[in-house]
Amino acid sequence: MKTASRLCLVVALLVVAATGAGAQSQERGVTDTEIVIGSSQPLSGPAAFWGQGVGGGMDAYIRMINDRGGINGRKLRLVLRDDGYSPTRAVANVRELVERERVFAIVSLIGSANAFAVRDYIIENSVLWVTPTADANMWAGFRNKKYLFVTYPGYVDEGRILTTYAAQKEGAKSVAVFYQNDLYGQKGLLGIKRGVAETKIKLAGAVPYEVTDRDMSGHALKLRQSGADSVILYATPTQGALIVREMAKIGFTPKLFASFTLADPLMFQLAGDAWNGIILTAYFPVPGVGDVKVDGMLDALLKVNPQLRASPFNALAGVSFIEPFVEAVRRAGPNVTRDSVVRAFESMKNWDGDVIRGVTFGPNQHQGINRIYIIKSENRQYKKLTDWITYPVGF
Amino acid sequence: MELRQRYEEDLYLVRGALGWTALLGVLAALALLPYLAPGYFLYTASLIAAHIVIAVGLNLLVGYTGQISLGHAGFVAIGAYTAGILAARLGVPWPAAILGAGAVAAGFGFLVGVPALRLTGPYLTIATLGFGIAVNQVLTNWERLSGGRAGLFLPKLAVAGVRLPDSQIYYLFAGLAAVLLWGAFNLVRSHIGRAFVAVRDSDIAAEVMGVNLTIYKTLAFAVSAFYGGIGGAMLAYLLGYLEPQLFTLFESIYYFSMIVVGGLGTIPGSILGAALLTILPQQLAGLKQYLPLVYGATIVAVMALEPLGVYGRWLKIKLWFKTWPF
Amino acid sequence: MALLAQYVVGGLAVGSLYALVALGIVLLYRTSRVLNFAHGDLATFGTFLAFAMLTAARWPFSVSATLSLLLTAVLGAAFFFFIIRPAKESSLLGKIVITLGLALVLQGATTALWGTDTKIFPFPLSETKVYRLSGIVISQLSVGSFAVGLVLMAGLYGLVQHTRLGLAMRAVSQDTVAAQVLGIPVKRIFALTWGLASALGAASGILLAPVTLLDPYMMLDPFLKGFAAAVLGGIDSMPGAAVGGLVLGVVESVFAGYISVRFKTTLSFLIIIAVLVIRPEGLLGQEYKRRV
């Protein structure tokens, strides 16, 4: 007992928080040999699938760049921290990344709630923020986006385009929506409502689900009851697969449409035959669609980190977030400061990366992509159905 | 060794020269913190202050009155959203918003306390758990009230129109926590606190002795909810943004772990537990996906090695020093 | 009418799975008075073990399932021996927090070993092959799980009520010290109970995985519902766990269908609270008599 107490005292004395010393640098996060960037992702907890895929993809891509010698003589260093999808921890992580790790830029940050929570701090401290992974429409009308650059679709626009395509090209007359009960699903539903109003078809029903829900029998019954001939899914892979299987089980076979998060090849495994003939959106060429550059990038990522095999779509999405930043740093040349990178970003016109395509920025346009295209699943592969469909630039 | 000669001496919060020096030292350290620590640390310190208030509230209910509650996040949510709605929609200044949050939460605490009179043990746990889930679902789906999943933004803390910087927010929160802690210490030493402990140890015996169970059980819920509500309002102002996912069953379990790891039934235990379990995940954030492993293992280790919690071990250490060299 | 019947049948199917989870919780609570919050994560870990044996080692289902139940039982007993038992001075709440810590450790271990992505669990009964009876659809898997659940419940009931081992378990739960004095090997009984409860959890996980798809967090919701069902039925009654699970499943399904999908969990809990207020010891629980 006494030794235990003494041991505890010693341990307690040893645990002294040390504040890290920042490296001397020209600009915060930039030295002659490296550029430090940071990201806060849900690496544990129920959202870990997204965080580990996106974070893993970004990390593998950065390692590839460094192996080739870096950018203009500087290597990139990515500092990843786990926020467990909790806004309080996301804020703490971002503050530590900016003040303690002294990062040059923050890349991505998954979740609208987390993005909202850290938004004011990042904007007020003029931190370069590249593609917060949340609904792009959230920035429309927001003040002071000088250091903010987004290459991520807006859910409302995407929902509208998918619905109008369904009505005009696939003959859908009444749609029911199965959506995740958070901003992702709710914004998608808003877009679908606009599409329904535009094409004068009927919105027969909307069935929400919570992320922890696993029993979809009631949801499938409600969708069938709505009498719709088409069902639009605004879901994530697990529940997307579950609802599709459940609908097949009760003999309900409507036309199926889905949002880009379900364009993951994982769905073929999870939903099996029920995933044939479904029509989805995508904002970058999906692996397997026949795009050499994307397939090549995926192979390269897998060579660096074979574990990404479990989440290829998310890894590629991670690359799509960070690619424009790497290009902007390249364009900024040897003098890397926040303002020079901002100018470099704004010089990008219809730029194609290996994954992301058609990125355009300007002094008044910080929404880098404003187009999606439609694909269809056939024989366990995705096939391109349309060319790029654009939507109005929001900011 | 000091001998207590009068009853009043037993009631003293701070004893002797050593006690006063220690207390003043801690206060001085807290006051000097903004000059020594960087900005992000002040954010964490303010967060700890909010968590301390929440943890003390829960400890009053669980540790002192023996009512196992896994729905505390519900009271915190009610407090946070009350403050948010008052401040953002009705333009109420923050002192009134924070107090209002506490009052509304206390009202709900009283309401939850009424059915809790009939329940004990795991049955009460499920009932409070259900309350927490109900609050979460109502806040998620009643969008006109709470903004739903789009969330609610709060105006920044300001005094006379001047926005408060990080250090002032820290002082404000630390001061608020200190006042509430002082209140809790006094509550626990009063006849109300003794009634709570009597209810915990044996409620039927307490009733026989004249402790009105109805009044004291519902009072325990109300006081606990009051503290939770104020803590929630503090969280709301600190983050500046509210979302229902901030207050789920996971958070209730988190607050519960704080008080048990820190020391159940003791107020310093709540302080230690809140501080420890706020700092630990942040310091471990660099471990990325191994965070749950290390965090969980730490909790298991602390509880297995010291069932009385961190404060219990501290008491034992103090006792060892006091009875040295034997 | 057929729609109501469909909702009820769907509710019974998922309710039987909740009942299995509840059984594990009740078994442990009856004997050791510990609310095991790691039950769901133990079940998940066991299911992943079975998954690994089925896909990586390619052993047949019966072998994989049995082995995984055994391994999970050993894991549960190990928890008891190495962590719970040394912490015997812990209060009840302390033990609950230890199980919470264990749950986190298991979650971390599961994601570290098998990743965070969702997987298909190969199960001999099909989730998509369905039987139709007068307009009501029920999958082969639901029928199978229901049957297995019934068998396990009956077996457990028989074990506890009609064998010497069960008698020893009941003695230990009534008064540990008296049982020790009478010569009952209390440590072994506790270890056995933990093992049995964990194995039950793994069984419920294996039956759930084809329905919910296999991912490290698949048991979060079912564990919560199982816990609620256990309390609804009376947390010291095993038939109560079964009844509670089925009732909860049906209530939830009917509420989701006819009243509100969004609030179905709230409504289910409100029903539970109402039942508890009327009958504080749960539907089939014993009235709690205490010495003062």
Side-chain angles (χ1 to χ4, degrees), chain C residues 190-211:
Chain C
F190 275 136
L192 198 75
T193 316
W194 271 85
L196 200 56
S198 312
L200 262 175
S204 63
I206 291 179
L207 287 171
L208 262 170
V211 176

Side-chain angles (χ1 to χ4, degrees), chain A residues 1-2 4-6 8-9 43-44 52 80-82 87-89 91-93 95-96 99-100 113 116-117 119-120 124 181-183 186, chain B residues 38-40 43 47 140-141 143 149-150 153 156 163 166 239 241 243 246 281-283 285-286 288-289 291-292 313 316-317 320-321 326:
Chain A
M1 187 58 142
K2 284 191 235 172
S5 296
R6 264 187 278 186
C8 286
L9 205 55
L43 297 171
S44 66
Q52 290 197 14
L80 264 180
R81 309 203 70 168
D82 173 32
T88 36
R89 281 168 61 186
V91 172
N93 282 347
R95 294 190 71 141
E96 279 200 44
E99 295 171 33
R100 183 161 144 186
F116 277 129
R119 185 186 71 178
D120 288 339
E124 277 159 25
N181 195 17
D182 66 359
L183 270 182
Q186 287 171 356
Chain B
Y40 66 89
Y43 166 80
L47 187 62
T140 306
N141 292 304
E143 277 148 30
R149 294 305 294 267
F153 280 95
K156 304 278 178 215
R163 213 179 110 177
D166 283 333
L239 216 51
Y241 170 73
E243 215 250 335
L246 281 166
Q282 268 172 231
Q283 290 303 104
K288 304 181 229 177
Q289 62 259 52
L291 195 148
R313 179 58 60 174
K316 288 182 188 167
I317 292 176
W320 185 78
F321 275 114
F326 300 108

Side-chain angles (χ1 to χ4, degrees), chain C residues 114-150:
Chain C
W114 288 291
T116 51
D117 51 308
T118 312
K119 302 170 168 62
I120 295 263
F121 188 79
F123 197 82
L125 294 179
S126 163
E127 159 76 347
T128 42
K129 178 150 177 265
V130 290
Y131 303 119
R132 280 167 213 279
L133 303 128
S134 59
I136 303 177
V137 174
I138 186 159
S139 74
Q140 195 183 47
L141 179 66
S142 303
V143 174
S145 328
F146 200 75
V148 171
L150 274 176

Side-chain angles (χ1 to χ4, degrees), chain A residues 202-384:
Chain A
K202 195 170 97 114
L203 178 64
V207 180
Y209 75 87
E210 302 287 340
V211 176
T212 47
D213 280 347
R214 292 283 191 272
D215 171 43
M216 300 285 132
S217 51
H219 302 81
L221 281 171
K222 292 211 93 147
L223 286 170
R224 184 178 73 177
Q225 263 194 292
S226 71
D229 60 60
S230 314
V231 168
I232 305 187
L233 304 175
Y234 251 86
T236 48
T238 310
Q239 280 88 359
L242 285 173
I243 192 71
V244 163
R245 284 156 53 122
E246 194 68 36
M247 289 197 293
K249 200 170 97 180
I250 60 173
F252 179 46
T253 47
K255 291 194 255 278
L256 284 173
F257 301 89
S259 147
F260 69 90
T261 48
L262 291 177
D264 196 329
L266 185 64
M267 295 305 294
F268 292 120
Q269 268 184 305
L270 292 180
D273 285 330
W275 201 245
N276 265 332
I278 188 166
I279 293 181
L280 310 105
T281 58
Y283 75 95
F284 62 79
V286 180
V289 141
D291 190 297
V292 180
K293 281 209 250 174
V294 163
D295 291 336
M297 171 63 71
L298 185 58
D299 288 334
L301 288 175
L302 289 177
K303 273 205 203 76
V304 176
N305 184 354
Q307 283 189 322
L308 291 174
R309 209 181 328 115
S311 50
F313 184 79
N314 288 343
L316 285 172
V319 174
S320 81
F321 303 152
I322 204 171
E323 258 192 321
F325 171 74
V326 168
E327 173 64 17
V329 171
R330 189 173 285 129
R331 287 190 190 197
N335 175 29
V336 174
T337 66
R338 264 174 289 174
D339 289 322
S340 72
V341 170
V342 166
R343 279 195 299 275
F345 263 118
E346 290 173 354
S347 74
M348 289 164 83
K349 305 282 175 229
N350 213 9
W351 174 78
D352 282 348
D354 286 328
V355 178
I356 195 91
R357 303 290 157 80
V359 177
T360 304
F361 288 114
N364 293 321
Q365 181 181 355
H366 280 205
Q367 183 178 15
I369 56 165
N370 61 326
R371 52 186 206 172
I372 55 173
Y373 68 102
I374 311 273
I375 55 179
K376 184 172 177 167
S377 79
E378 266 172 26
N379 293 327
R380 308 200 135 226
Q381 274 223 316
Y382 289 119
K383 198 182 80 151
K384 202 168 149 180

Side-chain angles (χ1 to χ4, degrees), chain C:
Chain C
M1 202 58 221
L3 189 62
L4 174 63
Q6 181 70 56
Y7 277 123
V8 168
V9 166
L12 282 173
V14 78
S16 68
L17 293 167
Y18 292 159
L20 258 182
V21 177
L23 266 179
I25 298 175
V26 166
L27 180 64
L28 203 56
Y29 185 77
R30 264 190 77 149
T31 322
S32 58
R33 298 263 162 249
V34 172
L35 281 176
N36 182 12
F37 275 86
H39 188 81
D41 295 286
L42 266 170
T44 313
F45 194 78
T47 315
F48 268 97
L49 279 175
F51 175 75
M53 288 187 258
L54 281 169
T55 51
R58 298 199 170 276
W59 291 338
F61 182 77
S62 44
V63 172
S64 306
T66 324
L67 254 183
S68 112
L69 291 182
L70 276 169
L71 285 172
T72 319
V74 167
L75 191 60
F79 276 154
F80 168 71
F81 263 121
F82 296 117
I83 300 176
I84 304 283
R85 205 183 145 266
K88 54 178 156 352
E89 318 107 44
S90 256
S91 65
L92 202 58
L93 294 178
K95 293 208 180 83
I96 290 182
V97 171
I98 292 185
T99 59
L100 284 172
L102 284 175
L104 279 174
V105 170
L106 280 169
Q107 270 177 29
T110 312
T111 47
L113 286 172
W114 288 291
T116 51
D117 51 308
T118 312
K119 302 170 168 62
I120 295 263
F121 188 79
F123 197 82
L125 294 179
S126 163
E127 159 76 347
T128 42
K129 178 150 177 265
V130 290
Y131 303 119
R132 280 167 213 279
L133 303 128
S134 59
I136 303 177
V137 174
I138 186 159
S139 74
Q140 195 183 47
L141 179 66
S142 303
V143 174
S145 328
F146 200 75
V148 171
L150 274 176
V151 166
L152 282 172
M153 284 183 239
L156 204 62
Y157 185 71
L159 175 75
V160 173
Q161 295 293 123
H162 297 295
T163 63
R164 276 169 61 95
L165 177 61
L167 193 61
M169 284 161 74
R170 277 183 287 147
V172 164
S173 77
Q174 275 191 358
D175 191 332
T176 316
V177 177
Q180 271 178 314
V181 165
L182 285 173
I184 295 178
V186 166
K187 260 196 299 184
R188 260 181 265 170
I189 298 285
F190 275 136
L192 198 75
T193 316
W194 271 85
L196 200 56
S198 312
L200 262 175
S204 63
I206 291 179
L207 287 171
L208 262 170
V211 176
T212 65
L213 294 179
L214 182 66
D215 73 81
Y217 306 101
M218 68 178 205
M219 288 293 278
L220 275 183
D221 196 53
F223 169 71
L224 184 64
K225 304 279 169 58
F227 184 31
V231 168
L232 174 65
I235 199 153
D236 43 15
S237 156
M238 289 202 271
V243 168
L246 292 171
V247 167
L248 183 62
V250 172
V251 160
E252 218 189 26
S253 180
V254 170
F255 273 167
Y258 288 101
I259 304 182
S260 160
V261 175
R262 293 158 182 264
F263 287 104
K264 67 175 177 158
T265 320
T266 308
L267 290 168
S268 314
F269 270 96
L270 282 176
I271 294 277
I272 295 179
I273 295 177
V275 168
L276 288 178
V277 167
I278 300 174
R279 206 182 135 78
E281 57 276 356
L283 288 172
L284 295 179
Q286 297 323 94
E287 199 187 313
Y288 191 48
K289 293 182 173 60
R290 287 179 290 152
R291 298 183 69 124
V292 176

